[in-house]
Amino acid sequence: MKRSLFNILHTPIWFLALFTEAKSFQENPVIGNALLNRIGLHVLRIRIAKGLVRLRRVFLSKYVSQNKRLEYSKNGFTQDFNFLNATDFEALKKEIFESVWPLREMSQGGTVTRRVFLNSGSLAIKFPQLHAFIQHPNLLASLRYVAGIGGEPIFSIQAVFAGANDVLDPQTVPHADTFHSNAKAWFFLEDVNENDCPFAYVRGSHLLTPKRLAWEKKQSITAKNHPIIYHARGSFRALEDDLLEMGLPAPEKLPVPANTLIVADMFGFHQRSISAHATCRVEIYATLRRNPFLPWLGLDIFSIPYFKRRSGDLSLKWLTRLEKMGLGRMSWRPVGEGTIKAPVRS
């Protein structure tokens, strides 16, 4: 009886979530309804989101070069080598590697990801190079164009400790983050070699082809009960046979030298490569994901000066509050202060 009442009261909320970035087939009975997806609910959401992102990119295109637009169109990601001049890059590394930070960590399988969530308002005096970097116009323009949305990204300093054991890291399986375009960026502070868990991407998988759409529909019908929890929550995993079914190539590793920026569309399939030995890579990480059904570019809460200056802290507080309300998961746990590459505590 209580469960029936709960469902009745929450049905309007679950329905309204269709017009947001909500993606979980497991947690939203409307999004995960097999009958609705059999007649095309999930496919409709993808089509509408893709149409709107194309419209928004028309207005964002003037901020990026034609070469960058073509690179993204072909691959689903862009690469900029020697993004900063040598002097600024060395100064930026000094600020990051020689400072003590409030650290947070998340474990996934055998990988520990460490982050320092950044507040732009507190960086200008003590960390001028870092402050300048997160406001770099080419970085912001690339993120917004690839995401197909305006607004302010959320920035972190990130260290990825991987390969220390053979416990499976779910990020090493090819996957798409969600059903619509959104962007992540990695600015690598050290060389990332072939065996250092480089980022890997399935070239061209950001495109909405008929084969991709058919595969998405098939997945949506059964996703709610999928044994892989990430898949059930809307981050579809694509194994070798799935990629072949969609006419896509295998993921390609992208080892890069230090001072390289990669911006990628997370609707495309990507993964963290597996390393045979313990390794650590350090980067400045950014993410930009908004409601895909917005027809406009602006009106982003993090563009308001108060929120923009405190975006890191506010993101953490919001995740913590959602967890307390039973509406989300706060994976980033505080582990004290230290340098970004300090050994992981057992």
Side-chain angles (χ1 to χ4, degrees), residues 6 16 25 33 45 51 77 80 82 86 89 101 118 122 135 149 157 164 173 213 215 234 262 278 282 291 330:
F6 177 88
L16 290 174
F25 293 79
N33 186 280
R45 295 184 82 208
F77 62 88
D80 284 282
N82 296 314
F89 182 58
W101 304 96
L118 299 176
S122 61
Q135 298 183 96
I149 194 75
I157 304 168
V173 178
L213 206 56
W215 183 85
I262 292 179
V282 183
N291 185 334
M330 174 53 172

Side-chain angles (χ1 to χ4, degrees), residues 151-182:
E152 295 298 321
I154 296 174
F155 287 95
S156 306
I157 304 168
Q158 177 170 279
V160 180
F161 298 84
N165 57 57
D166 58 0
V167 180
L168 180 64
D169 174 359
Q171 299 301 320
T172 61
V173 178
H175 61 280
D177 281 8
T178 188
F179 66 93
H180 59 89
S181 287
N182 60 104

Side-chain angles (χ1 to χ4, degrees), residues 49-60 148 295-297:
K50 183 61 76 173
L52 287 169
V53 80
R54 286 177 181 145
L55 175 64
R56 294 192 298 265
R57 281 203 186 104
V58 171
F59 299 98
L60 293 165
W296 53 79
L297 296 175

Side-chain angles (χ1 to χ4, degrees), residues 190-244:
E190 299 176 307
D191 293 345
V192 180
N193 298 310
E194 185 83 11
N195 294 317
D196 293 334
C197 298
F199 177 69
Y201 199 89
V202 178
R203 287 184 187 264
S205 61
H206 65 303
L207 299 173
L208 186 58
T209 63
K211 287 183 177 180
R212 172 70 181 270
L213 206 56
W215 183 85
E216 288 276 347
K217 181 175 182 178
K218 183 171 71 172
Q219 299 304 313
S220 70
I221 295 168
T222 59
K224 180 179 180 180
N225 299 312
H226 199 280
I228 299 176
I229 189 65
Y230 299 97
H231 194 102
R233 289 173 180 165
S235 178
F236 287 168
R237 269 48 191 166
L239 302 181
E240 183 178 358
D241 288 345
D242 297 302
L243 295 176
L244 288 173

Side-chain angles (χ1 to χ4, degrees), residues 57-321:
R57 281 203 186 104
V58 171
F59 299 98
L60 293 165
S61 62
K62 64 182 178 181
Y63 300 107
V64 295
S65 69
Q66 183 180 12
N67 286 340
K68 281 296 159 195
R69 296 197 300 271
L70 291 174
E71 184 183 10
Y72 164 72
S73 179
K74 178 181 177 181
N75 298 321
F77 62 88
T78 64
Q79 294 185 91
D80 284 282
F81 302 102
N82 296 314
F83 184 74
L84 297 178
N85 67 59
T87 301
D88 288 346
F89 182 58
E90 290 303 318
L92 176 62
K93 287 201 302 179
K94 183 178 177 65
E95 285 185 357
I96 290 173
F97 285 114
E98 296 183 8
S99 299
V100 174
W101 304 96
L103 305 174
R104 287 180 176 264
E105 292 177 355
M106 174 181 65
S107 296
Q108 290 182 300
T111 300
V112 174
T113 302
R114 174 182 291 164
R115 279 190 191 162
V116 178
F117 289 81
L118 299 176
N119 296 308
S120 63
S122 61
L123 294 176
I125 297 176
K126 191 174 180 181
F127 304 103
Q129 292 295 334
L130 184 55
H131 184 257
F133 177 82
I134 67 174
Q135 298 183 96
H136 197 295
N138 291 343
L139 167 62
L140 295 176
S142 292
L143 270 162
R144 289 166 181 158
Y145 183 78
V146 171
I149 194 75
E152 295 298 321
I154 296 174
F155 287 95
S156 306
I157 304 168
Q158 177 170 279
V160 180
F161 298 84
N165 57 57
D166 58 0
V167 180
L168 180 64
D169 174 359
Q171 299 301 320
T172 61
V173 178
H175 61 280
D177 281 8
T178 188
F179 66 93
H180 59 89
S181 287
N182 60 104
K184 289 181 180 177
W186 299 262
F187 179 66
F188 298 99
L189 299 172
E190 299 176 307
D191 293 345
V192 180
N193 298 310
E194 185 83 11
N195 294 317
D196 293 334
C197 298
F199 177 69
Y201 199 89
V202 178
R203 287 184 187 264
S205 61
H206 65 303
L207 299 173
L208 186 58
T209 63
K211 287 183 177 180
R212 172 70 181 270
L213 206 56
W215 183 85
E216 288 276 347
K217 181 175 182 178
K218 183 171 71 172
Q219 299 304 313
S220 70
I221 295 168
T222 59
K224 180 179 180 180
N225 299 312
H226 199 280
I228 299 176
I229 189 65
Y230 299 97
H231 194 102
R233 289 173 180 165
S235 178
F236 287 168
R237 269 48 191 166
L239 302 181
E240 183 178 358
D241 288 345
D242 297 302
L243 295 176
L244 288 173
E245 182 179 335
M246 289 180 275
L248 294 170
E252 178 184 339
K253 290 183 180 181
L254 299 174
V256 294
N259 197 10
T260 297
L261 173 70
I262 292 179
V263 182
D265 187 339
M266 297 289 98
F267 178 68
F269 295 107
H270 58 280
Q271 67 181 99
R272 182 159 52 222
S273 300
I274 296 174
S275 175
H277 64 271
T279 184
C280 173
R281 74 174 206 225
V282 183
E283 60 229 12
I284 298 175
Y285 168 85
T287 179
L288 180 56
R289 185 163 96 188
R290 298 290 185 271
N291 185 334
F293 301 112
L294 297 177
W296 53 79
L297 296 175
L299 299 180
D300 174 48
I301 189 170
F302 284 115
S303 297
I304 300 171
Y306 174 85
F307 295 100
K308 181 179 179 179
R309 291 194 299 268
R310 299 166 177 81
S311 59
D313 285 344
L314 291 173
S315 298
L316 289 170
K317 288 179 180 179
W318 178 244
L319 290 171
T320 301
R321 179 164 295 183

